[in-house]
Amino acid sequence: MTDASAGKAIALFAYDFPHRKSSDFLLELVAAGLRDISVLAAPKKILQHSDEGSYFSRSLVHPSAPDMRELCTRLGVDFHSVEHGDSVRIGEIVRGSGCTLGIIGGARIIPSKVIRIFDQGVINFHPGKIPETSGLDAFFYSVKQDVPVGVTTHFIDGRVDAGHQIWFDETMIGPEDSIEVVIENGYALQRLALRRLLRIIADGGLVPRQPIDRPRKNEPMTARQKWDAVGMFPAWRARHFCRQTVSSLFDACASGLPERVGKILDSSPSFIEARDDNYWTPLIVASYNQHLPVVEKLLSRGANASAAGRKGTTVLMYAKTKLLNQAGADYRLLDFLIDAGADVAARDVFGKSVMDYVIAAGDEHMAQYFLKMQGMA
């Protein structure tokens, strides 16, 4: 990013002790070209009922986070050790610096009186899907509630993990990812979401807002509940890996990406007859969108050329739609389907064949094509 962000004053809520997210977010702001940054660093507190238990292996190596005060000094960033509930002191800092937007790199609950100080609001990056994983233990609630893991970027209000959603980014799951890997990938998504947000701000774009319906927040989990979630993780991982992979396959078919389709089917060949929400197969999607290279790829992998949708609409019926009444239409895709066994005479739940629909559309040229394919012309 260029220095287009320069001159935009931002307050970073952080901790006044070594804290990975606080320091990483500060570095992201500086790397984005921001110069007017005020770090509001909350002093360390001894929390009651904090869970120090370890529920999965921690083998990934991370360098120790730097001291925030020292990091700010080296970067030339204004540093303020201040309680995040101190609206008087924060108000003085914000007015003096001209900050209009707050970003949370590290914070506990920020009260409404502090949020209201910022003309543009305060943005948080919650490590989970809101409202399902509001509060602490977001990852464990993701597994328990059987929802995707990821990052909810949102404007906060006086409630915990509520306000207005900007976007939700889902963490991609690998078939053998450990809990540790899933959580680490989710953390990386927080930094990527911050970068995207800063690009929008630098370009003067509008940040989207969608109200979050969060009737209540989740209570912190007990150790037993966390262990139960750990036990559910393998099945949760398998479900979400399959869902994401199938979604990627359908996106590749709709976008006309044969190499991507082949790569997905190399690792997950059984998904070739998967169904989407419309009950379409990958071949139906590729055929409807006239992506001949993808159709060839799917047929070579054994896709069913006679597959039909929920109402019996065949692949051929879908494939002919965008070709109807088009001058000089290329029928090679139809040729491939018929050569692969697509039944020209098949009828849907309404008792109609592809020929019936072609005649009803008044496409005489295509009607002659299908008559020929049936040996009737």
Side-chain angles (χ1 to χ4, degrees):
M1 184 184 298
T2 66
D3 279 354
S5 306
K8 299 180 185 297
I10 286 181
L12 176 67
F13 287 87
Y15 287 126
D16 189 6
F17 52 84
H19 179 251
R20 184 186 180 194
K21 185 174 175 180
S22 295
S23 56
D24 283 350
F25 270 37
L26 175 57
L27 292 172
E28 291 288 348
L29 295 178
V30 172
L34 286 157
R35 296 293 179 265
D36 297 325
I37 306 169
S38 294
V39 172
L40 310 176
K44 191 169 187 176
K45 287 184 178 180
I46 303 299
L47 300 178
Q48 294 182 344
H49 310 300
S50 60
D51 186 357
E52 301 296 333
S54 179
Y55 300 93
F56 52 89
S57 64
R58 299 177 185 273
S59 60
L60 299 180
V61 177
H62 301 289
S64 299
D67 178 80
M68 283 300 293
R69 184 187 297 268
E70 181 179 347
L71 180 61
C72 287
T73 299
R74 291 180 178 276
L75 294 173
V77 171
D78 289 338
F79 176 89
H80 306 273
S81 183
V82 58
E83 296 285 354
H84 288 164
D86 189 344
S87 59
V88 174
R89 177 100 186 281
I90 291 178
E92 293 172 350
I93 296 169
V94 168
R95 286 190 293 273
S97 64
C99 294
T100 58
L101 176 68
I103 288 178
I104 298 177
R108 299 182 186 94
I109 297 175
I110 299 178
S112 297
K113 60 183 179 180
V114 173
I115 299 171
R116 287 194 293 267
I117 293 171
F118 296 87
D119 292 342
Q120 295 183 54
V122 177
I123 295 175
N124 183 43
F125 299 82
H126 178 74
K129 195 171 188 294
I130 296 177
E132 293 91 338
T133 70
S134 63
L136 299 174
D137 306 320
F139 171 77
F140 295 103
Y141 271 109
S142 295
V143 176
K144 179 182 178 181
Q145 305 278 26
D146 196 22
V147 296
V149 291
V151 178
T152 302
T153 304
H154 67 111
F155 287 95
I156 66 172
D157 60 19
R159 301 170 297 158
V160 175
D161 295 331
H164 286 73
Q165 178 173 304
I166 298 173
W167 51 61
F168 173 73
D169 294 303
E170 183 175 350
T171 304
M172 297 305 293
I173 306 297
E176 299 181 358
D177 284 353
S178 66
I179 292 176
E180 183 182 25
V181 168
V182 173
I183 291 176
E184 183 62 24
N185 285 341
Y187 178 73
L189 271 186
Q190 293 184 53
R191 297 185 65 170
L192 292 173
L194 174 59
R195 291 181 188 181
R196 177 155 46 122
L197 176 72
L198 294 177
R199 284 196 294 271
I200 292 176
I201 294 173
D203 294 339
L206 295 176
V207 179
R209 294 174 181 245
Q210 178 67 35
I212 296 173
D213 180 17
R214 191 206 57 98
R216 65 180 182 83
K217 75 176 182 70
N218 296 312
E219 295 298 322
M221 279 192 176
T222 65
R224 175 59 184 272
Q225 289 174 320
K226 290 180 180 179
W227 280 118
D228 287 345
V230 170
M232 297 164 62
F233 173 74
W236 173 91
R237 176 182 60 193
R239 285 193 298 275
H240 287 274
F241 166 73
C242 289
R243 176 184 57 79
Q244 291 178 346
T245 304
V246 168
S247 177
S248 295
L249 175 59
F250 277 104
D251 286 345
C253 289
S255 301
L257 305 173
E259 291 184 2
R260 176 63 178 156
V261 170
K263 185 176 180 180
I264 294 172
L265 292 176
D266 284 342
S267 60
S268 304
S270 63
F271 291 160
I272 195 165
E273 296 300 333
R275 298 279 179 165
D276 66 7
D277 292 340
N278 295 318
Y279 206 65
W280 288 18
T281 66
L283 183 61
I284 289 176
V285 171
S287 299
Y288 175 78
N289 286 287
Q290 294 295 303
H291 294 313
L292 179 58
V294 177
V295 169
E296 292 182 79
K297 178 74 70 174
L298 292 169
L299 290 174
S300 71
R301 298 296 183 98
N304 181 9
S306 294
R310 185 174 285 110
K311 295 182 179 181
T313 308
T314 66
V315 177
L316 272 179
M317 293 176 187
Y318 287 113
K320 61 90 175 92
T321 303
K322 293 186 177 182
L323 299 173
L324 282 171
N325 296 306
Q326 297 297 313
D330 185 349
Y331 294 160
R332 283 183 300 160
L333 190 149
L334 303 181
D335 290 340
F336 271 98
L337 291 173
I338 294 171
D339 288 344
D343 185 359
V344 179
R347 297 181 179 276
D348 59 17
V349 296
F350 305 106
K352 295 182 178 181
S353 67
V354 65
M355 177 66 81
D356 293 323
Y357 287 107
V358 170
I359 293 174
D363 190 333
E364 295 184 4
H365 186 265
M366 187 179 289
Q368 287 297 316
Y369 168 82
F370 280 117
L371 284 174
K372 179 181 178 181
M373 288 299 157
Q374 295 180 81
M376 300 172 63

